Each structure stands twice: as structure tokens, then as C-alpha cells.
Amino acid sequence: MELKVSTRSHAGHTVMAIIGEIDLYTAPGLQAEFTRLLQESPATHVVIDMSGVEFCDSTGMNVLLSALKRLRERGGTLELAAPRPAVRKILQVTGLDSVFTVYEAMPEKLLSAKRQA
């Protein structure tokens, strides 16, 4: 399955919307998107809209953890919003729901964020 990623900025945050499955095959593309984002922008506060993510395996979780580490090195944050039940369960089982800030839905202040790419 193809992975679609788009970014937009609003209220000092970068919102990255992901649609599809994050697995062994698509994780390298997501990693490349994070690398591009961190190289091309001063982004320090990133919220990932996970409402379109149908599945995320350990490879995908490692990409998210790597991005979190890189943002924290900049003094930033990485937060997850609106994960579907299957993804939320993976976060809970692995204990990553206590590593990431996880919102049930996209925070209101970021819903009107303008699309960049």
C-alpha cells in the first residue's frame, strides 16, 4: 500500500498528515519525509495526524521514535493525534503511549492549518 504524507503549518506547529500503512516497505519513505522536513524547515513542534494510518508495525514506530529524538535534540516536540484503534493498541502494548503525547483527535487550534505540500 502506498503511503501519502503532507505537511502544513499553523500556530507555530507543523502538522504532518499520514495516510496508509507504515510498515517495512513504506517506513523508509516516511523517514525520508522527516529528514526533508527537518532539513528544510525550522520545525520544532510537529503533530502527526494519524487518523489516516490503518496500520503501523515496529519499523514504523522506530521511524516515529527517531523523529522524536531528532526533534528533542532541537528542543522540540513530536505529538501524535487521532490514532485509529489498531495503532493506539500498538502504542499501548509497547508503552509508547507514555513516550509520545497522544491526542484522541487533532487539537482544535491546528484544524485550520494551511497545507504546504
Side-chain angles (χ1 to χ4, degrees), residues 2-117:
E2 184 181 350
L3 188 70
K4 296 180 183 176
V5 180
S6 63
T7 59
R8 57 194 187 273
S9 295
H10 186 71
H13 287 74
T14 298
V15 177
M16 180 180 276
I18 303 173
I19 299 173
E21 296 182 357
I22 308 171
D23 57 22
L24 181 63
Y25 302 103
T26 60
L30 181 58
Q31 182 71 47
E33 284 294 322
F34 276 119
T35 298
R36 182 189 62 77
L37 175 69
L38 295 174
Q39 287 175 346
E40 296 178 2
S41 78
T44 54
H45 302 290
V46 177
V47 177
I48 300 178
D49 179 354
M50 300 200 61
S51 62
V53 176
E54 298 168 21
F55 173 79
C56 184
D57 69 7
S58 61
T59 309
M61 290 295 165
N62 283 330
V63 170
L64 296 176
L65 283 168
S66 173
L68 174 65
K69 180 181 177 204
R70 291 172 67 189
L71 281 160
R72 283 185 175 168
E73 288 169 355
R74 288 183 170 196
T77 60
L78 178 74
E79 302 168 330
L80 308 178
R84 291 183 177 191
V87 175
R88 179 169 285 287
K89 184 170 184 171
I90 292 167
L91 290 166
Q92 291 170 338
V93 167
T94 59
L96 292 176
D97 59 339
S98 63
V99 174
F100 293 101
T101 298
V102 181
Y103 299 108
E104 291 291 324
M106 182 59 70
E108 281 290 321
K109 67 181 181 181
L110 301 178
L111 287 176
S112 62
K114 295 182 182 174
R115 185 184 169 126
Q116 287 180 342

